[in-house]
Amino acid sequence: MSRIGRIFASSIAATVIGGTAMVGLLGAPAQAAEAAAPNSGVSISSDKGCSKKVRVGNARYKGDIFHSSAKTAGYNHNHVGIFYTTKTIVEAPGSGSKSQARTAATLNKCGPVYKMYVKAKQTSRNKAANYAYNNLRGKAYDNNFAFNKSSSNSKLNCSELVWKAYKKAVNIELDSNGGPGVYPNNIKDDGSTVVYSTRR
């Protein structure tokens, strides 16, 4: 190869390497933002009341749902949350806490923990996740499960948050029995959800 050819090839290689590095630098803030979540270390009611906790961990897809065991005063009502990204969860943790984003990789819940996806296009799952993050955080806890489907967004419980994210964003009904109140098991048992991971 001539001297000019070597210089030209070297210039192309430097440009490719420099461009790759620049893409990496531009991608890093987005990844950091995806992993960031406030209050991720807070221990709250849906995290308590069990002898064994398991790590929720990351999801396969944005818009996925997790379901965990949860008890209050001996009543096993269970718990759900929605993945805003594959690494960040939005949930209504329980009485005394506002709905919030939490980091999936460090979030422990009472087992078993099921992770599931909703049978819909990814664009629809994205819209539901975005709706939860943008509209359903920072809300006081709603103790009314029996009629939570008709209540406003000013207060939310866990299943109400997940149900409203899909219902209001893309009109997907995640309620196996169709009653006036939606519970965590109604979401898990609905025909539109598919469990792909179980952690015990």
Side-chain angles (χ1 to χ4, degrees):
M1 183 183 289
S2 70
R3 183 171 178 274
I4 293 173
R6 286 195 301 272
I7 291 170
F8 181 69
S10 180
S11 297
I12 291 174
T15 302
V16 169
I17 292 169
T20 303
M22 183 58 70
V23 168
L25 287 171
L26 292 174
Q31 293 167 357
E34 180 178 286
N39 305 315
S40 59
V42 178
S43 182
I44 36 197
S45 59
S46 62
D47 306 352
K48 300 176 181 177
C50 60
S51 57
K52 182 181 179 182
K53 291 184 182 178
V54 296
R55 191 68 50 88
V56 174
N58 296 338
R60 286 184 184 174
Y61 310 109
K62 178 172 179 167
D64 283 0
I65 297 165
F66 82 89
H67 176 288
S68 62
S69 179
K71 290 183 180 181
T72 301
Y75 173 65
N76 193 357
H77 49 78
N78 297 325
H79 180 69
V80 288
I82 184 171
F83 283 85
Y84 167 57
T85 70
T86 58
K87 300 177 181 179
T88 306
I89 286 164
V90 177
E91 64 170 353
S95 184
S97 299
K98 291 186 176 181
S99 54
Q100 61 192 258
R102 305 183 79 189
T103 303
T106 57
L107 183 59
N108 296 317
K109 293 288 184 182
C110 299
V113 171
Y114 303 96
K115 284 186 279 192
M116 61 199 84
Y117 66 85
V118 175
K119 291 190 284 188
K121 292 181 179 179
Q122 187 59 50
T123 52
S124 295
R125 297 195 290 250
N126 291 348
K127 287 178 182 177
N130 291 341
Y131 185 89
Y133 189 83
N134 294 325
N135 299 283
L136 303 179
R137 289 181 301 135
K139 309 297 182 181
Y141 192 74
D142 185 3
N143 289 301
N144 179 9
F145 275 84
F147 298 96
N148 58 10
K149 290 165 73 172
S150 60
S151 60
S152 70
N153 285 355
S154 61
K155 291 184 177 182
L156 296 167
N157 51 51
C158 66
S159 49
E160 181 180 359
L161 186 155
V162 174
W163 179 84
K164 284 183 174 177
Y166 271 94
K167 184 66 176 177
K168 293 198 171 186
V170 290
N171 200 31
I172 292 177
E173 174 75 35
L174 296 181
D175 182 6
S176 60
N177 68 9
V182 60
Y183 295 83
N185 287 359
N186 296 148
I187 291 173
K188 177 179 174 289
D189 297 338
D190 188 76
S192 295
T193 57
V194 178
V195 174
Y196 63 81
S197 171
T198 305
R199 295 188 174 195
R200 299 184 183 276

